[in-house]
Amino acid sequence: MMKLKIKYLGNKSLSSVMYGFLVFAHYGMIPASIAVLCILWFAILPNPISSPGDSFLTELQYMIQTEMYNDMTKKEIEEFREMQSMHPAVRSIVILYVSVLSILIFFIIGEAKKLFFNFKKNIVFNDINVKHLIRLSKIQIALSIFTFDILAFIFSIILLILSAVFKSGAELQEEHDLTV
Amino acid sequence: MSIIFRLDRMMADRKISLTELAKRIDLTNANLSILKTGKARAVRLITLDALCRELNCQPGDLLEYVPDKIHGETLNEIKEKNDE
């Protein structure tokens, strides 16, 4: 039976595939987040309208709302209309929430991208990678608190422990590199 | 670290360059440079053996122990005391 040999580090490895994917995700996030925020801006902030108006903005708003209603169930439409009836300050918090979420995810992908770039270059046990892991875990903790996600919190703790493992590895690597 | 590698002194005595010595003992210039500049954390016995062979010397000629402190005093402090 043939054994499947998977290369995890260096060029043409799983790390380089992950790096490519993260580069795409990192740069793709910027226009995607802007698009989502614009859609939310038009859908949530203004008061709901029942027909397209004369101006371009009201026509755009009506189009976005109609598209959103087409994809929602009856219950979701009711909840959405309930949210639209809230005070504008409350509605703007939703946009702020989505903005902060986007920023946190953007930074998480950024740090992961830098980490996998080093793995692709076969730089594994290094102080720089330890710093990336610590930063990644801190942002992940912030995201888990923001989204009230216990699994994300556990994942961030695992990342913190992994950074300690990498720190030990970096010390051993340095010892190895400076042994002649 | 209190152990000093006197490779530069031996190389000057034997009139051999870093590149030539590295070639003879099958080590890279970078690694030998680490040894020469005192940045090395450890030396393999096989490397020490090769160096002694090529430089025609004893390990004691290459290694020197210079303590950082003797009974809590640094060498400079001891020297100042002796001068007084």
Side-chain angles (χ1 to χ4, degrees):
Chain A
M1 196 172 154
M2 273 179 70
K3 273 189 180 180
L4 188 67
K5 277 188 182 177
I6 300 171
K7 198 179 165 195
Y8 295 101
L9 303 165
N11 272 328
K12 294 180 188 174
S13 66
L14 207 59
S15 297
S16 60
V17 169
M18 274 304 295
Y19 172 70
F21 169 72
L22 286 166
V23 165
F24 177 74
H26 196 222
Y27 292 118
M29 252 212 86
I30 300 166
S33 306
I34 292 169
V36 166
L37 283 169
C38 286
I39 289 168
L40 277 175
W41 186 275
F42 278 109
I44 295 172
L45 267 187
N47 290 322
I49 53 172
S50 53
S51 61
D54 295 326
S55 71
F56 170 73
L57 285 174
T58 48
E59 214 173 296
L60 185 66
Q61 186 195 343
Y62 179 75
M63 194 180 78
I64 290 167
Q65 283 184 359
T66 316
E67 279 301 313
M68 283 178 76
Y69 289 157
N70 287 342
D71 294 331
M72 289 185 197
T73 60
K74 270 189 182 173
K75 193 185 172 190
E76 282 171 349
I77 292 169
E78 275 172 31
E79 282 174 4
F80 189 71
R81 280 192 175 140
E82 210 179 294
M83 188 183 60
Q84 280 184 313
S85 63
M86 287 182 190
H87 194 271
V90 174
R91 282 185 262 158
S92 57
I93 287 170
V94 173
I95 291 174
L96 191 68
Y97 178 82
V98 172
S99 309
V100 173
L101 208 66
S102 307
I103 290 165
L104 286 173
I105 293 169
F106 182 76
F107 280 122
I108 284 173
I109 295 172
E111 286 299 322
K113 184 188 93 176
K114 287 175 198 170
L115 197 65
F116 278 97
F117 179 69
N118 282 343
F119 290 165
K120 183 186 159 193
K121 281 164 66 181
N122 237 328
I123 299 166
V124 183
F125 294 113
N126 197 298
D127 286 336
I128 299 165
N129 282 351
V130 173
K131 280 181 190 165
H132 285 318
L133 275 168
I134 291 171
R135 255 184 251 148
L136 194 60
S137 62
K138 284 179 182 172
I139 302 168
Q140 184 69 28
I141 286 170
L143 185 73
S144 66
I145 292 167
F146 207 64
T147 54
F148 302 103
D149 190 350
I150 188 95
L151 281 174
F153 185 74
I154 291 167
F155 180 63
S156 58
I157 301 297
I158 291 169
L159 281 174
L160 261 178
I161 294 166
L162 197 65
S163 69
V165 171
F166 266 69
K167 195 177 176 186
S168 291
E171 283 165 13
L172 288 169
Q173 182 72 50
E174 196 188 14
E175 195 82 33
H176 173 267
D177 291 341
L178 294 176
T179 297
V180 181
Chain B
M1 171 117 67
S2 301
I3 301 278
I4 299 169
F5 220 79
R6 296 289 183 204
L7 185 64
D8 46 354
R9 193 194 287 169
M10 283 310 300
M11 279 168 60
D13 284 347
R14 299 290 184 263
K15 292 182 178 64
I16 187 169
S17 68
L18 189 86
T19 315
E20 179 64 33
L21 184 61
K23 199 176 164 184
R24 283 192 200 176
I25 63 172
D26 197 24
L27 217 62
T28 61
N29 273 11
N31 274 352
L32 200 56
S33 182
I34 287 169
L35 206 54
K36 194 183 167 203
T37 53
K39 288 178 187 167
R41 290 264 182 94
V43 180
R44 293 189 180 96
L45 287 175
I46 201 166
T47 306
L48 193 59
D49 172 68
L51 283 167
C52 290
R53 186 187 68 235
E54 292 303 324
L55 295 170
N56 193 24
C57 64
Q58 291 294 313
D61 298 329
L62 288 168
L63 299 163
E64 191 178 328
Y65 174 69
V66 178
D68 297 324
K69 285 187 178 183
I70 300 170
H71 302 299
E73 289 178 318
T74 63
L75 284 175
N76 279 338
E77 285 167 356
I78 294 166
K79 203 181 171 189
E80 277 166 21
K81 260 191 182 174
N82 288 340
D83 289 340
E84 281 168 20

